C-alpha cells in the first residue's frame, strides 16, 4: 500500500511533542500538509518535513487542490466537529486527538457521516497505548475486580500554559488530562463502571473545573467501590496512578501506565510508545477501511458533569 498522504491540523504542544515525531518514524505516512493559524511561527517544521506545505486553516487546504488521503486533527475539541465534518465530506479519512469532541452527540454525528461517505474515523485515546495497559488487562482477565482507585494529578501551568481553550465550555478543564485515566480504566475493565456522585471545583473566574472527586461502583461481574481524584494544581512531581484490587491481589499502573506493580512489587517498566501506537492503529484501520470510535471515556466525563456538585474555589491565573 502506498504511504498515506496526511495533513496535520493544529500545531500546538501535543502535535509538536508527539504527533510529528511519531509521523517522522512511520513509513506508512507521507506528511504533506501542516495547518495552523500561527503558521508563520511554524516555518522551522518544514526543515524536518520538506514535502509539507503550510496552510493557515483547513478550508484553505481543502480548496488548494492538494491531494490528501487523511487528516489528523489536533486543534481544540470545540472546533473538532466542524473540521472533521469538512474533511469527511471532502473524502478524507480522519483521526481525532482526544477527546474526540466537546460532546457525545457531535461525535456520533461524525460516525454516521463517516459511514455515509465510506470514510475511516478513528477517535484516539493515547493513554490506552501506554506500554503496561495491555499486560495489566491480560492479568485482570482471570480475576474478579473488587475496587478501583485513581489519582491523576498534574500541573496545568506546565502542560497547558496560556491555553485558554481548556477553561472555555467544551474544553473539559481537569477532565482534559483526567479523561486519559478514564480511557485506561474503561479498557482494563470490560464490564465497566458507573458514577454515583461527583464534586467539581470551579475557579471563580473559569468555566471548567480545576479539580474533581468522583465516586461510583464497578459493573458486571465486578463488585466494589470506585474512587477517582483529579487535580490540576499539582506542583513538583506529577502523578498518574491507577490501583485495582482483585480477589487475587492488587495491581497498580503508575506514571500514566508505563510502570506496573503487583502486590507492591514492580513487574515492568517501559518507555513511552503511545503515539507511535496510535499511528500504527490508524494505518491498520485505513488499510481495512474500518472505523474505531469508542465514546465510553467521554460518556463518563459527561456523567461527571451531569452528577457534579459544583463548588466554587479560588480564581485561577496563569
Amino acid at each position: 500500500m502506498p504511504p498515506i498522504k496526511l495533513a496535520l491540523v493544529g500545531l500546538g504542544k501535543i502535535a509538536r511533542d508527539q504527533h510529528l515525531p511519531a509521523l517522522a518514524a512511520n513509513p506508512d505516512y507521507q506528511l504533506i500538509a501542516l495547518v495552523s493559524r500561527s503558521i508563520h511561527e511554524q516555518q522551522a517544521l518544514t526543515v524536518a518535513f520538506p514535502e509539507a506545505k503550510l496552510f493557515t486553516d483547513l478550508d484553505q487546504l481543502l480548496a488548494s487542490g492538494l491531494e490528501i488521503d487523511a487528516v489528523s486533527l489536533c486543534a481544540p475539541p470545540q472546533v473538532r466537529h466542524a473540521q472533521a465534518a469538512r474533511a469527511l465530506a471532502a473524502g478524507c479519512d480522519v483521526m481525532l486527538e482526544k477527546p474526540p469532541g466537546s460532546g457525545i452527540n457531535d461525535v456520533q454525528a461524525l460516525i454516521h457521516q463517516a459511514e455515509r461517505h465510506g470514510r475511516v474515523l478513528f477517535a484516539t485515546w493515547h493513554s490506552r497505548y501506554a506500554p503496561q495497559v495491555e499486560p495489566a488487562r491480560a492479568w485482570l482477565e482471570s480475576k474478579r475486580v473488587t475496587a478501583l482507585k485513581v489519582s491523576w494529578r498534574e500541573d496545568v501551568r506546565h502542560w497547558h500554559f496560556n491555553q485558554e481553550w481548556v477553561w472555555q465550555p467544551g474544553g473539559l478543564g481537569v477532565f482534559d488530562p483526567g479523561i486519559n485515566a478514564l480511557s485506561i480504566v474503561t479498557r482494563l475493565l470490560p464490564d465497566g463502571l458507573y458514577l454515583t456522585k461527583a464534586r467539581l471545583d470551579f475557579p471563580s473566574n473559569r468555566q471548567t473545573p480545576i479539580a474533581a472527586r468522583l465516586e461510583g461502583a464497578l459493573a458486571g461481574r465486578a463488585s466494589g467501590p470506585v474512587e477517582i481524584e483529579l487535580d490540576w494544581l499539582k506542583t513538583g512531581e506529577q502523578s498518574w496512578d491507577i490501583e485495582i484490587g482483585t480477589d487475587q491481589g492488587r495491581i497498580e499502573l503508575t506514571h500514566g501506565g508505563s510502570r506496573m506493580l503487583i502486590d507492591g512489587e514492580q513487574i515492568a517498566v517501559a518507555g513511552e510508545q503511545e503515539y507511535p501506537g496510535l499511528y500504527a492503529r490508524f494505518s491498520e484501520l485505513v488499510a481495512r477501511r474500518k472505523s474505531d470510535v469508542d465514546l465510553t471515556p467521554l460518556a463518563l466525563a459527561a456523567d461527571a458533569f451531569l452528577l457534579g456538585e459544583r463548588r466554587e474555589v479560588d480564581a485561577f491565573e496563569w
Side-chain angles (χ1 to χ4, degrees), residues 173-242:
V174 73
F175 284 89
D176 179 78
I179 208 168
N180 294 332
L182 300 181
S183 73
I184 292 176
V185 298
T186 52
R187 176 62 182 167
L188 294 179
L189 307 173
D191 291 335
L193 63 141
Y194 60 93
L195 302 180
T196 57
K197 186 178 180 180
R199 189 194 72 207
L200 310 180
D201 291 350
F202 285 76
S204 59
N205 60 339
R206 303 291 175 172
Q207 299 184 66
T208 57
I210 198 165
R213 177 178 173 81
L214 315 178
E215 298 178 21
L218 299 164
R221 65 188 180 93
S223 177
V226 169
E227 298 178 13
I228 300 173
E229 292 273 2
L230 309 178
D231 178 10
W232 227 1
L233 285 174
K234 179 69 167 66
T235 57
E237 186 177 358
Q238 317 284 278
S239 60
W240 304 279
D241 303 325
I242 296 170

Side-chain angles (χ1 to χ4, degrees), residues 61-292:
L61 166 61
L62 296 177
S64 71
L66 185 67
E67 183 181 347
I68 56 175
D69 302 316
V71 298
S72 180
L73 299 180
C74 301
Q78 294 96 326
V79 300
R80 208 164 287 154
H81 173 88
Q83 290 179 338
R86 290 198 294 273
L88 290 169
C92 300
D93 299 322
V94 174
M95 175 170 158
L96 303 169
E97 178 56 87
K98 67 87 192 170
S102 56
I104 294 174
N105 283 328
D106 68 338
V107 185
Q108 289 179 329
L110 294 176
I111 294 172
H112 298 319
Q113 184 180 355
E115 291 174 349
R116 289 196 307 272
H117 288 278
R119 309 317 306 172
V120 172
L121 182 66
F122 180 31
T124 68
W125 299 107
H126 65 81
S127 289
R128 288 182 172 178
Y129 289 79
Q132 304 309 326
V133 171
E134 289 306 307
R137 187 171 186 266
W139 186 86
L140 286 165
E141 281 184 350
S142 60
K143 316 310 191 280
R144 183 175 64 84
V145 176
T146 57
L148 169 68
K149 186 174 183 179
V150 174
S151 177
W152 219 253
R153 302 174 186 275
E154 63 178 57
D155 184 357
V156 62
R157 291 183 175 93
H158 175 78
W159 300 101
H160 288 282
F161 187 69
N162 274 344
Q163 295 181 23
E164 286 295 328
W165 64 266
V166 301
W167 300 116
Q168 297 165 357
L172 292 187
V174 73
F175 284 89
D176 179 78
I179 208 168
N180 294 332
L182 300 181
S183 73
I184 292 176
V185 298
T186 52
R187 176 62 182 167
L188 294 179
L189 307 173
D191 291 335
L193 63 141
Y194 60 93
L195 302 180
T196 57
K197 186 178 180 180
R199 189 194 72 207
L200 310 180
D201 291 350
F202 285 76
S204 59
N205 60 339
R206 303 291 175 172
Q207 299 184 66
T208 57
I210 198 165
R213 177 178 173 81
L214 315 178
E215 298 178 21
L218 299 164
R221 65 188 180 93
S223 177
V226 169
E227 298 178 13
I228 300 173
E229 292 273 2
L230 309 178
D231 178 10
W232 227 1
L233 285 174
K234 179 69 167 66
T235 57
E237 186 177 358
Q238 317 284 278
S239 60
W240 304 279
D241 303 325
I242 296 170
E243 180 179 332
I244 300 175
T246 79
D247 61 345
Q248 300 179 49
R250 184 182 80 255
I251 187 170
E252 297 171 72
L253 292 183
T254 68
H255 297 76
S258 63
R259 300 183 185 182
M260 181 169 64
L261 299 88
I262 296 177
D263 292 331
E265 180 182 351
Q266 186 163 280
I267 302 300
V269 177
E272 190 170 301
Q273 61 186 40
E274 296 176 14
Y275 282 83
L278 288 181
Y279 277 100
R281 175 63 172 162
F282 188 43
S283 175
E284 173 193 350
L285 293 171
V286 169
R288 295 170 56 196
R289 307 309 304 160
K290 181 178 176 61
S291 291
D292 180 357

